[in-house]
């Protein structure tokens, strides 16, 4: 049985990644791809790497026939997304890849994003899209909010530990190394090749990155108390991939055991043998997460290193995994392709 | 029906690429992966990006049960390959990714590779593996010689023109821009990141690159006369991808028409609209070839720009495409994945 | 004796490169740096790598005290430059790094740049700034037009040959591999890291690149007849550096001898031993040009490979070299720093 | 007055960097460059970017006339260095860039490097070469031990704080992002372009990196008690540059004030305005260190981000700075060149 889907915001990187992934899915068909600035163009004009696909032209959102759809992916910019989604048919399944529906607390949303939300009611309805931890809710959801890519990798590294006493919740440091595609196809000086290549810098330092809103919401929810981590992202000269180095206070073997046990049945999450470390090279273009646990020379200090591809498992791959759940497909359908290396 | 295959030389990049591709093929199963230096190791120890696959350990070639195989891929180094293949069961289908069986003329082989061949009889038997041009021969072949990656892209750009009078056969210049993975996983100073990144140099200049043997053989065969092109490769700071810029004397519209017509039914070869140019970004990780044709401002000068991924269409993807033909599978099976961009 | 200079357009890459170079010059002092969009800012706010220098704030062009200057560098965008320069004091020495004064023929200017020039009289007065070939004129010039970076490297490879009978003037092909900084600090999608890294594409194919205007003007002038080359640039994933591969019809030894002899006394131009090839890695950040000559396997075909750093010898280094001549300084002053490798 | 120096180990990256820097120093002359594997070659054969320099051929160490030297730089591999230095004339000033003389405690040396030292007496005599902190000792030293590049940047970020009560000495985390040239010109798989480009991984995780020996020695010496930091390096796809992110417990304003005050007179160390963060892009090819201090959202947590170029300030630039002190030259001589950006 074929499910018909549309992609709104198809001229950005997460939109293109959705098309790439869905093109390998046997039971999903793309009925419409919308991109306001590029409406009327062939897909190949904006993404020549998808030239081989038989796709409709890019259209205006208003021209999408939503009644014929089984599900709609929204890969629109933050703040634009909520304005569109609030007006979609209320029975249409929607997966939003923006930040607009990740935070359920209205005050937290305003704190991190600075604006009144235009779809507050939907905020409460939306399910947080970290598949492995909200599987049942996602399966029956109408609206799923894709997670931040940084928030995803940090949670994969730490979530199973938060509700245990294995680590000290007062002292969690997340140091991230992020590829540039996480910032999207934006025309900004700091994203130019000449400014990125061959160097590294920190950004949103000091606890100002918006994905902290997700960490606070999720970790506090699990712990049943307020948990605030330190989180510092760094931009590295790579297109895809995030490597999270988590510094925690706790015993490495205990931590490794918890993670191994927790993720044992997960098809996409691989906990490496004790002491091994992953690389973003090894998940590029795939939906996999690799997690390593290493004991520091200092007693009761453990380093957890986790990697994912921000465009796949960190956004569009996650979205397709959730779509599979929402549409009654096998969860891994279209997502088991091997990473591209080198 | 499942076909059982082995990969000899699985610790190099073309070996890993074969495993990546075959892991997405519904009807091929990998029975053995051999790598002499790494025999006994788990695949994940040498290629952590393939960690998610259920694969046998790396073994010695001598430990492979060839009798149980339907086909064997040899991704071994040049000169090693012939020594192994000459001793394989003579009814076993073999696809060799090395240079050992590409040249059918023994003298040409010695000229370009400098050694006596140890399997001269097989040289005559081997079919040249440029799928789109040797489809029937490959389908019934016992031994197929994968082409050089540079030789492949040059031929895709030019072959349909060689037998016509559309271009001047005395004046063909091929200027190639090549990613580093074409040189394999070799420990050589010129392949270090610090020597490759952020720069560009020419190599094998002056008509000394061995893939010229293939150009000479194939183009002369087609033309029915001796054809010798100029070919200069350059190393660029990219892992995958070759861009060939061909300078020819002839009318661009005539040339474009010939290429469009020739490749119209080919699933992997895309001739762009007249005047457009391709980029290696747009075929990375895929089995596609993009070809652009542009008229120069100088009368009767045409520029043909063609791209492929050297590890996919230029070697392991080509090998799988040929295996599909040899095993009676649909030719495109396991090979229609979209390129990875960005 | 200290010469006082200003830099107009100091917030772009060529402006920053001028400041870098002048900071190492013992007899030049920067009195003013102007950048309209960033006027009022500290230099470190737009170029943190120049933080250690004691520099004036960025100002508006109108706020520069031109009367106190010995020379003014204009690193402004094309078309803006002419509007500013036409209004500068008419006795002020000016070096323009834009394309505005490179073409002396008004019709050629309109053909390549599409507009009426606002300072036609100055066009005739301007000296073409390829130092090694216009030394005397530059020394006494009031206005010098810096060359295109692609035009510079092509001319270094070919100029000494054009007036001889060593090569066939009907058949000259220039295939260039160019780093991204040649396009400046522009916000364009094709300059984003995610679009440039790990790939290669051709651009301005077919003889449409504006630097062809310079090739036509200069080569025809030398030859005393119309000479039109083929020129195809390619964008490679590197920040600095251009590698030009020139395909010519002629004897390699004759060509090598002419180039060796011509450049023997030049401090910045190095002709490599016969058969050796250069790399852009080996001139990065320096004012040097390396030129290699290689005989092709085909009789009377020669390949000339030449490299420079587009921001140094291709623009700002050239500008400083010309400034030295115009101000009576030693020509190499401030320019003999070694390249940065790796 | 000209000082005559030799460089032992001139075929590696730190050797080449020494030559680059010294070529811009008015009072140092290179009398000999030794490289065992490449003895007899021209320098341009191993480092074409230094082709413009008038240099002696590479020779054997045994062929160096040490009696004629004022100072000798040893850029040899670890463990080789001590064997050579122990046999040099005992009155010859020596700067060693290897790890052999950094640790003064013999047991610590064996713990981190695993071998008996062959020049234990010299170990005690050697001065630790972190210029800004050992200026007087270095000025009068006979043998100076260059620091580890990671150890250098970590100390620049933290040393002025260790002897104060501004930070908690029990909780110091150093997360480093390192370019590949720190590993030298070594033929290792993990240093190949195809393995480094477009990705990021951690290495020597868990407190196993040898530079920890230096942190322990120096920080404990300053504190007057045992201080052990956590230190985790990551390899990023860049040739030069290290970015250290230090997580400390203490007040950001207090910390910023201490650093500003401490480095106020230092020509190479720039503490940024409170809240700003540096990038490795901004020190490439230079002898500068940029340090940023940022308050985290969590009370009394501070992030210090510091950058240097590992080949310049982290090794060869440091060596030349020390040589200036040892030879009575102005400390900054030959070292004030601006960074190369982009």
């Amino acid at each position: 049985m074929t499910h018909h889907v549309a992609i709104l915001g198809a001229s950005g990187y997460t939109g293109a990644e959705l098309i790439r992934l869905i093109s390998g899915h046997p039971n999903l068909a793309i009925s419409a791809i919308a991109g306001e600035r590029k409406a009327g163009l062939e897909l190949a004009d904006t993404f020549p790497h998808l030239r081989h696909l038989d796709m409709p032209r890019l259209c205006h959102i208003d021209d999408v026939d939503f009644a014929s759809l089984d599900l709609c992916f929204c890969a629109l910019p933050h703040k634009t997304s909520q304005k569109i989604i609030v007006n979609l048919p209320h029975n249409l399944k929607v997966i939003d890849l923006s930040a607009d529906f990740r935070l359920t607390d209205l005050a937290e949303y305003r704190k991190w994003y600075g604006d009144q939300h235009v779809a507050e009611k939907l905020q409460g309805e939306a399910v947080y899209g970290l598949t492995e931890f909200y599987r049942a809710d996602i399966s029956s959801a109408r609206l799923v909010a894709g997670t931040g890519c940084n928030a995803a990798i940090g949670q994969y590294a730490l979530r199973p530990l938060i509700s245990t006493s294995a680590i000290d919740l007062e002292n969690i440091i997340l140091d991230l190394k992020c590829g540039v595609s996480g910032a999207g196809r934006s025309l900004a000086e700091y994203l130019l090749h000449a400014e990125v290549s061959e160097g590294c810098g920190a950004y949103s330092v000091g606890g100002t990155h918006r994905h902290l809103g997700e960490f606070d919401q999720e970790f506090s929810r699990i712990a049943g108390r307020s948990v605030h981590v330190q989180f510092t992202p760094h931009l590295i000269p790579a297109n895809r991939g995030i490597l999270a180095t988590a510094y925690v206070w706790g015993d490495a073997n205990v931590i490794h055991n918890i993670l191994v046990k927790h993720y044992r049945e997960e098809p996409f999450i691989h906990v490496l043998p004790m002491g091994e470390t992953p690389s973003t090279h090894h998940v590029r273009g795939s939906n996999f997460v690799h997690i390593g646990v290493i004991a520091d020379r200092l007693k009761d200090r453990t380093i957890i290193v986790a990697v994912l591809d921000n465009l796949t498992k960190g956004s569009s791959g996650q979205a397709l995994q959730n779509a599979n759940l929402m549409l009654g497909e096998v969860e891994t359908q279209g997502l088991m392709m091997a990473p591209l290396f080198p």
Side-chain angles (χ1 to χ4, degrees), chain A residues 7 11 17 63 89-90 96-97 100 126 143 209 211-212 222 231 236 241 256 259 267 291-292 301 331:
Chain A
I7 297 168
S11 62
E17 183 76 348
D63 296 331
H90 286 219
D96 181 33
L97 282 76
D100 282 2
L143 170 60
H209 195 289
H211 290 181
L212 270 169
I222 302 168
F231 160 46
I236 60 166
H256 188 252
L259 293 172
I291 302 174
R301 304 283 183 93
E331 184 180 329

Side-chain angles (χ1 to χ4, degrees), chain A residues 3 10-11 21 38 41 92 120 145 147 209 280 285 307 319-320 338:
Chain A
H3 307 284
S11 62
L21 295 173
K38 310 219 173 170
L41 293 182
L92 178 62
E120 295 190 348
T147 72
H209 195 289
T280 60
V307 295
L320 181 54

Side-chain angles (χ1 to χ4, degrees), chain A residues 21 268 287-288 317 320-321 324 331-337:
Chain A
L21 295 173
F268 295 119
N287 209 48
F288 296 107
L320 181 54
Q321 194 177 348
N324 281 334
E331 184 180 329
T332 57
Q333 190 66 271
L335 289 166
M336 291 303 289
M337 65 282 170

Side-chain angles (χ1 to χ4, degrees), chain A residues 216-230:
Chain A
D216 289 356
Q217 168 180 287
E218 295 298 310
F219 289 166
S220 299
R221 182 182 294 172
I222 302 168
R225 46 159 287 199
S226 181
V227 175
H228 297 292
V229 304
Q230 259 191 289

